C-alpha cells in the first residue's frame, strides 16, 4: 500500500501532465470537497437560473421567441442535471444536495437574484449573463476532473445557442422603435454591472484560487476572465448602438484592452448575503416547486414498486 | 471575509462556510447510467447518468436529457448498481500481463527490405 505522500505525488503528476482524474482514482480530500461544492453550486445556479427567464415564457412577444425561450429554459434544467450527476460520481447524494440548496446552506450565483422586469431583460440575460457564463465555462471543459469536464463540453455546446438568441433578440430591440431602443438600453444599464460581478472579486481578494489552479480546476483568474468578457462584449454593445453604463470605460491602445470602472462590491456582498432584489422569492419558488412535485415522485415510486412485485410474482 | 469565486460557472458563489459534502444517504430514486448510439454504425457510448424510479422512466428521462438535439438513434440505460468495474487500486496488477507482450503488435516484427504487401 502506498503512503499518502506518494499517492499525492502521483495525483499531482497526473494533473501536471494534463491528464484527467476519474471518479475512483485516489484524490486528496480537499480536491474532492472542492469539486463536490463547486459542481453542486454550479448545478444550483443552473436550475435557479430557470426562474428569471421562465418568468417571460407566457409573455414572449411571438411564437418563435416562445419556442426559443422554452428550449433555453429546458436546457438550463438539463445543465443542472448533468452537473448533479457529475457531483454524484464523487459520492454526493442528489437529494442531499437539493436539501443544501433549499435550506440556503449551499448557494447559487448572485446574478439570478435580479428581476426580469421587461422582455429586454430576457435578451440581456442571453447576451450578457450567458456570455459571461461561457467565459467561465469554456476553461472548465479542460478541468482536471473528467466527469466535470465532460459535462461542461455538453453545456458549452448548448450555451452558445443561448448567447446568440439573446444577442439576436437584443438586435431586434436596438433597431426597433424608440421605446424598444430605450428598453434595450435600460436592460443593458441594469445587467452590465451584475454581469461583471459574476466573475467574482478581484484576484487580490481571492487567496484560495491558487490551490484550484494547482489542481487544474480553475485555469484563469477572476480578473483575467472578466477582462476577456469586457473586451469581447463592448464591441458588441457598439454594434447595437447601445451605451455601456460605465463613464470610465475606454480603450487602452497600449495594453490592447478596455479599461473599466470600479465594481460596486458592496452590492455584490449584499446580494450574496441574501438581500438582493429576489433572493427570497427565488428560493421560495424552488422549494415550492420541489414540494409540489412530491406526489409525482411518490406515485412513480409506487408504480415502480408495484410493477417490480408483479414481475417477481410472474 | 468569506471567499468567492466564479466557480459556479454561471457566476460567483462563496467557497468558504459552505458544506462540501452531501453524501451518506441513499437516494430516493435509483441512479441509471446512460449510453447513447449517436448514429447507425457506431457503438453506444456512455454519456452520463440520471435518476428515475424504473427502467421505463429512465429511458424517457434519458431521451429528454441527453438527446434534445438529435444526439442519438438508440439509448441504453443500466442501473448504476449493476455495473461491475475493475478497481483502480489494482490497475497496475490487472493490466500488467499485457505490458510485456510487445509481440502482439505488428510493429514488433521487422519486415525485410523490398518485401511488399505484408
Amino acid at each position: 500500500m502506498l503512503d499518502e505522500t506518494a499517492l499525492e505525488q502521483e495525483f499531482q503528476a497526473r494533473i501536471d501532465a494534463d491528464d484527467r482524474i476519474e471518479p475512483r482514482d485516489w484524490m486528496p480530500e480537499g480536491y474532492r470537497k472542492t469539486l463536490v461544492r463547486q459542481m453542486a453550486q454550479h448545478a444550483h445556479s443552473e436550475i435557479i437560473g430557470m426562474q428569471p427567464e421562465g418568468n417571460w415564457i407566457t409573455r414572449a412577444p411571438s411564437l418563435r421567441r416562445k419556442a426559443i425561450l422554452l428550449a433555453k429554459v429546458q436546457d438550463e434544467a438539463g445543465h443542472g442535471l448533468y452537473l448533479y450527476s457529475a457531483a454524484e460520481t464523487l459520492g454526493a447524494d442528489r437529494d442531499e444536495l437539493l436539501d443544501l440548496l433549499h435550506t440556503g446552506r449551499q448557494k447559487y450565483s448572485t446574478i439570478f437574484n435580479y428581476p426580469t422586469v421587461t422582455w429586454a431583460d430576457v435578451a440581456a440575460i442571453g447576451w450578457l449573463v450567458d456570455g459571461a457564463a461561457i467565459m467561465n465555462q469554456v476553461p472548465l471543459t479542460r478541468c482536471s476532473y473528467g466527469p466535470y469536464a465532460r459535462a461542461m463540453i455538453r453545456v458549452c455546446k448548448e450555451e452558445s445557442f443561448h448567447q446568440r438568441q439573446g444577442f439576436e433578440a437584443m438586435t431586434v430591440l436596438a433597431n426597433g422603435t424608440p421605446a424598444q431602443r430605450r428598453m434595450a438600453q435600460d436592460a443593458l444599464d441594469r445587467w452590465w454591472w451584475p454581469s461583471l460581478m459574476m466573475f467574482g472579486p478581484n484576484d487580490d481578494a481571492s487567496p484560495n484560487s491558487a490551490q484550484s489552479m494547482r489542481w487544474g480546476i480553475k485555469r484563469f483568474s477572476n480578473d483575467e476572465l472578466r477582462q476577456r468578457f469586457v473586451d469581447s462584449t463592448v464591441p458588441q454593445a457598439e454594434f447595437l448602438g447601445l451605451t455601456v453604463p460605465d463613464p470610465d470605460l475606454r480603450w487602452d491602445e497600449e495594453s490592447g484592452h478596455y479599461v473599466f470602472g470600479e465594481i460596486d462590491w458592496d452590492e455584490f456582498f449584499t446580494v450574496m448575503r441574501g438581500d438582493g432584489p429576489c433572493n427570497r422569492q427565488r428560493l421560495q419558488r424552488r422549494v415550492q416547486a420541489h414540494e409540489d412535485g412530491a406526489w409525482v415522485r411518490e406515485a412513480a415510486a409506487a408504480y415502480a414498486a408495484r410493477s417490480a412485485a408483479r414481475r417477481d410474482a410472474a | 471575509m468569506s471567499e468567492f469565486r466564479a466557480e459556479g460557472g454561471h457566476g460567483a458563489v462563496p467557497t468558504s462556510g459552505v458544506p462540501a459534502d452531501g453524501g451518506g444517504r441513499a437516494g430516493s430514486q435509483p441512479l441509471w447510467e446512460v449510453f447513447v448510439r449517436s448514429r447507425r454504425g457506431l457503438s453506444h457510448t456512455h454519456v452520463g447518468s440520471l435518476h428515475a424510479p424504473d427502467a421505463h422512466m429512465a429511458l424517457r428521462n434519458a431521451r429528454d436529457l441527453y438527446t434534445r438535439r438529435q444526439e442519438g438513434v438508440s439509448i441504453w440505460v443500466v442501473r448504476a448498481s449493476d455495473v461491475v468495474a475493475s478497481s483502480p487500486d489494482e490497475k497496475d496488477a490487472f493490466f500488467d500481463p499485457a505490458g510485456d507482450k510487445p509481440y502482439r503488435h505488428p510493429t514488433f516484427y521487422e519486415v525485410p527490405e523490398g518485401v511488399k504487401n505484408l
Side-chain angles (χ1 to χ4, degrees), chain B residues 45-92:
Chain B
T45 307
H46 183 246
V47 292
S49 63
L50 51 76
H51 286 273
D54 58 29
H56 184 70
M57 286 298 293
L59 264 184
R60 289 189 162 258
N61 291 354
R63 184 219 29 210
D64 292 346
L65 186 55
Y66 291 106
T67 62
R68 287 196 300 283
R69 288 175 175 77
Q70 298 181 295
E71 290 96 335
V73 293
S74 162
I75 300 177
W76 289 347
V77 291
V78 181
R79 246 179 217 267
S81 59
D82 287 342
V83 174
V84 181
S86 62
S87 159
D89 297 339
E90 299 160 17
K91 170 174 59 91
D92 292 341

Side-chain angles (χ1 to χ4, degrees), chain A residues 33-41, chain B residues 5 7 14-15 18-20:
Chain A
K33 283 195 163 165
T34 298
L35 274 165
V36 169
R37 186 194 61 226
Q38 175 161 343
M39 291 188 282
Q41 297 199 117
Chain B
R5 269 204 313 270
E7 62 169 34
T15 58
V18 175

Side-chain angles (χ1 to χ4, degrees), chain A:
Chain A
M1 187 68 199
L2 290 163
D3 63 45
E4 190 103 334
T5 322
L7 286 167
E8 182 129 21
Q9 277 167 359
E10 195 190 330
F11 167 85
Q12 191 61 49
R14 181 161 281 156
I15 288 174
D16 295 344
D18 209 20
D19 204 354
R20 298 289 177 264
I21 304 300
E22 293 296 341
R24 296 173 72 209
D25 289 340
W26 182 92
M27 60 187 79
E29 192 50 24
Y31 178 82
R32 194 186 75 82
K33 283 195 163 165
T34 298
L35 274 165
V36 169
R37 186 194 61 226
Q38 175 161 343
M39 291 188 282
Q41 297 199 117
H42 194 165
H44 300 333
S45 301
E46 297 284 355
I47 63 167
I48 294 283
M50 297 166 75
Q51 292 185 36
E53 293 175 284
N55 180 36
W56 280 90
I57 288 175
T58 56
R59 292 168 293 157
S62 68
L63 186 57
R64 178 176 182 271
R65 293 284 169 205
K66 187 193 284 234
I68 291 170
L69 190 55
L70 267 172
K72 179 178 190 300
V73 172
Q74 192 191 4
D75 275 353
E76 307 296 358
H79 297 177
L81 294 176
Y82 305 151
L83 288 158
Y84 284 124
S85 129
E88 283 180 295
T89 61
L90 290 178
D93 170 71
R94 180 82 51 109
D95 295 340
E96 179 121 9
L97 294 178
L98 286 175
D99 263 3
L100 290 169
L101 168 65
H102 295 164
T103 52
R105 284 177 293 159
Q106 284 186 342
K107 306 287 183 194
Y108 54 88
S109 169
T110 50
I111 194 79
F112 301 118
N113 290 317
Y114 290 88
T116 42
V117 294
T118 74
W119 167 253
D121 290 5
V122 173
I125 287 180
W127 173 37
L128 300 173
V129 175
D130 290 311
I134 289 172
M135 291 288 168
N136 272 332
Q137 293 180 140
V138 167
L140 284 171
T141 61
R142 294 189 297 125
C143 159
S144 64
Y145 187 56
Y148 194 20
R150 293 192 284 273
M152 293 318 298
I153 289 171
R154 210 165 249 290
V155 167
C156 285
K157 274 187 194 160
E158 301 180 354
E159 205 76 64
S160 76
F161 138 60
H162 297 180
Q163 191 190 19
R164 284 195 189 185
Q165 65 81 32
F167 189 73
E168 187 203 65
M170 207 68 182
T171 310
V172 170
L173 292 172
N175 293 304
T177 64
Q180 286 174 319
R181 266 195 91 66
R182 277 198 300 279
M183 203 195 254
Q185 181 63 51
D186 167 62
L188 173 58
D189 289 347
R190 282 179 295 106
W191 290 93
W192 176 255
W193 290 107
S195 298
L196 295 197
M197 292 175 201
M198 284 175 70
F199 297 93
N202 297 118
D203 293 347
D204 49 14
S206 270
N208 294 331
S209 284
Q211 179 62 73
S212 269
M213 291 219 186
R214 257 195 310 281
W215 277 337
I217 299 172
K218 192 173 171 64
R219 299 216 173 229
F220 302 98
S221 78
N222 294 354
D223 286 332
E224 278 176 284
L225 291 169
R226 184 164 21 240
Q227 185 67 54
R228 228 182 258 190
F229 175 73
V230 171
D231 288 346
S232 55
T233 311
V234 171
Q236 294 165 359
E238 281 167 5
F239 171 86
L240 293 170
L242 300 176
T243 309
V244 173
D246 178 356
D248 296 324
L249 184 74
R250 63 181 172 82
W251 172 253
D252 181 47
E253 196 67 55
E254 203 171 310
S255 66
H257 293 292
Y258 283 94
V259 176
F260 51 97
E262 199 53 45
I263 291 169
D264 178 4
W265 292 113
D266 287 343
E267 175 182 326
F268 174 79
F269 289 112
T270 302
V271 179
M272 187 54 83
R273 268 197 312 272
D275 296 322
C278 302
N279 294 54
R280 286 168 198 78
Q281 181 191 334
R282 298 283 187 247
L283 203 53
Q284 192 205 340
R285 171 78 64 87
R286 172 88 270 281
V287 172
Q288 193 196 329
H290 188 69
E291 286 171 358
D292 289 350
W295 72 270
V296 179
R297 292 189 295 276
E298 283 160 20
Y303 178 80
R306 199 184 62 188
S307 312
R310 277 200 187 147
R311 245 196 333 274
D312 290 346

Side-chain angles (χ1 to χ4, degrees), chain B residues 29-48:
Chain B
Q29 292 182 348
L31 187 68
W32 303 79
E33 298 296 337
V34 181
F35 301 78
V36 171
R37 183 200 295 286
S38 55
R39 57 185 166 83
R40 303 180 74 82
L42 296 179
S43 41
H44 288 75
T45 307
H46 183 246
V47 292

